[in-house]
Coordinates of all heavy atoms in Angstrom, one line a residue:
P25 N -17.5 9.1 4.4 CA -17.5 7.7 5.1 C -18.7 6.9 4.7 O -18.6 5.7 4.4 CB -17.5 8.0 6.5 CG -16.8 9.4 6.6 CD -17.2 10.1 5.4
V32 N -18.8 -0.7 -0.3 CA -18.3 -2.1 -0.1 C -19.4 -2.9 0.6 O -19.1 -4.2 0.9 CB -17.1 -2.1 0.9 CG1 -16.0 -1.2 0.3 CG2 -17.4 -1.5 2.3
V40 N -13.5 -9.4 4.8 CA -12.7 -9.4 6.1 C -12.4 -8.0 6.5 O -12.5 -7.5 7.6 CB -11.4 -10.3 6.0 CG1 -10.5 -10.1 7.2 CG2 -11.7 -11.7 5.8
R82 N -10.9 -9.7 -7.3 CA -12.1 -9.1 -7.8 C -11.9 -7.7 -7.9 O -11.4 -7.0 -6.9 CB -13.3 -9.5 -6.9 CG -14.6 -9.0 -7.4 CD -15.7 -9.6 -6.5 NE -15.9 -11.1 -6.7 CZ -16.0 -11.9 -5.7 NH1 -15.9 -11.6 -4.5 NH2 -16.1 -13.2 -6.0
R84 N -13.6 -3.8 -9.2 CA -14.7 -3.0 -9.7 C -14.4 -1.5 -9.7 O -13.8 -1.0 -8.7 CB -15.9 -3.3 -8.8 CG -17.2 -2.6 -9.2 CD -18.4 -3.2 -8.5 NE -18.5 -2.8 -7.1 CZ -19.2 -1.7 -6.7 NH1 -19.8 -0.9 -7.6 NH2 -19.2 -1.4 -5.4
G90 N -18.3 12.7 -10.2 CA -17.1 13.1 -10.9 C -15.8 12.5 -10.3 O -14.7 12.7 -10.8
T97 N -10.3 -6.5 -4.3 CA -10.2 -7.4 -3.1 C -9.6 -8.7 -3.6 O -9.8 -9.2 -4.7 CB -11.5 -7.7 -2.4 OG1 -12.4 -8.3 -3.4 CG2 -12.1 -6.4 -1.9
G101 N -7.2 -16.4 1.2 CA -6.1 -17.3 1.0 C -5.0 -16.7 0.2 O -3.8 -16.8 0.5
L136 N -0.9 -9.9 13.8 CA 0.1 -10.8 13.3 C 1.1 -10.1 12.4 O 2.2 -10.6 12.2 CB -0.5 -12.0 12.6 CG -1.3 -13.0 13.4 CD1 -1.9 -14.0 12.4 CD2 -0.4 -13.7 14.3
L140 N 5.5 -10.5 10.4 CA 5.6 -10.8 8.9 C 6.6 -9.9 8.3 O 7.0 -10.1 7.1 CB 4.2 -10.6 8.2 CG 3.1 -11.5 8.8 CD1 1.8 -11.1 8.1 CD2 3.4 -12.9 8.6
H147 N 13.7 -4.8 -0.5 CA 13.8 -5.1 -2.0 C 12.5 -4.6 -2.7 O 12.5 -4.1 -3.8 CB 14.0 -6.5 -2.3 CG 15.2 -7.1 -1.7 ND1 16.5 -6.5 -1.9 CD2 15.5 -8.1 -0.9 CE1 17.5 -7.2 -1.3 NE2 16.9 -8.1 -0.7
F173 N 9.6 9.2 -3.7 CA 10.0 9.6 -2.4 C 9.3 8.9 -1.3 O 9.8 8.5 -0.2 CB 9.8 11.2 -2.2 CG 10.8 12.0 -3.0 CD1 10.4 13.1 -3.7 CD2 12.2 11.7 -3.0 CE1 11.4 13.8 -4.4 CE2 13.1 12.4 -3.6 CZ 12.7 13.5 -4.4
V175 N 7.9 5.8 -1.3 CA 8.3 4.4 -1.1 C 9.7 4.3 -0.5 O 10.0 3.4 0.3 CB 8.1 3.5 -2.3 CG1 6.7 3.5 -2.7 CG2 8.9 4.1 -3.5
D191 N 2.2 7.3 4.9 CA 1.9 8.7 4.7 C 3.2 9.5 4.6 O 4.0 9.6 5.5 CB 1.1 9.3 5.9 CG 0.6 10.7 5.7 OD1 1.4 11.6 5.4 OD2 -0.7 10.9 5.9
R193 N 3.8 12.7 4.4 CA 3.9 13.9 5.4 C 4.4 13.4 6.7 O 5.2 14.1 7.4 CB 2.6 14.6 5.5 CG 2.0 15.3 4.2 CD 0.6 15.7 4.3 NE -0.3 14.5 4.6 CZ -1.5 14.6 4.8 NH1 -2.2 15.8 4.7 NH2 -2.3 13.5 5.1
Q194 N 3.8 12.4 7.2 CA 4.3 11.8 8.5 C 5.7 11.4 8.4 O 6.5 11.6 9.3 CB 3.3 10.7 8.9 CG 3.6 10.1 10.3 CD 2.6 9.0 10.7 OE1 1.7 8.7 10.0 NE2 2.9 8.4 11.9
R215 N -2.0 18.5 -4.9 CA -3.4 18.7 -4.5 C -4.1 19.5 -5.6 O -5.3 19.3 -5.7 CB -3.4 19.4 -3.1 CG -3.2 18.5 -2.0 CD -3.6 19.1 -0.6 NE -2.8 20.2 -0.3 CZ -1.7 20.2 0.4 NH1 -1.2 19.0 0.8 NH2 -1.0 21.2 0.7
A216 N -3.4 20.4 -6.2 CA -4.1 21.2 -7.2 C -4.3 20.6 -8.5 O -5.2 21.0 -9.3 CB -3.3 22.5 -7.4
V226 N 11.3 22.5 -8.6 CA 12.7 22.0 -8.1 C 13.6 21.8 -9.2 O 13.1 21.2 -10.3 CB 12.5 20.7 -7.2 CG1 13.8 20.3 -6.6 CG2 11.4 20.8 -6.2
D253 N 15.0 -12.5 8.9 CA 15.3 -12.8 7.4 C 14.0 -13.4 6.8 O 13.8 -13.3 5.6 CB 16.4 -13.8 7.3 CG 17.8 -13.1 7.4 OD1 17.9 -12.0 6.9 OD2 18.7 -13.7 7.9
V266 N -7.8 -21.1 8.4 CA -8.8 -22.2 8.5 C -10.1 -21.7 9.3 O -11.2 -22.0 8.9 CB -8.1 -23.3 9.3 CG1 -9.2 -24.4 9.7 CG2 -7.0 -24.0 8.5
L270 N -13.9 -21.7 7.7 CA -14.9 -22.5 8.3 C -16.0 -21.6 9.1 O -16.8 -22.1 9.8 CB -14.3 -23.5 9.3 CG -13.4 -24.5 8.7 CD1 -12.8 -25.5 9.8 CD2 -14.1 -25.3 7.6

Side-chain angles (χ1 to χ4, degrees):
V32 303
V40 172
R82 185 173 289 134
R84 183 166 72 93
T97 60
L136 292 173
L140 303 175
H147 300 306
F173 287 135
V175 296
D191 188 308
R193 297 166 302 179
Q194 186 178 355
R215 280 195 293 273
V226 188
D253 280 324
V266 171
L270 299 179

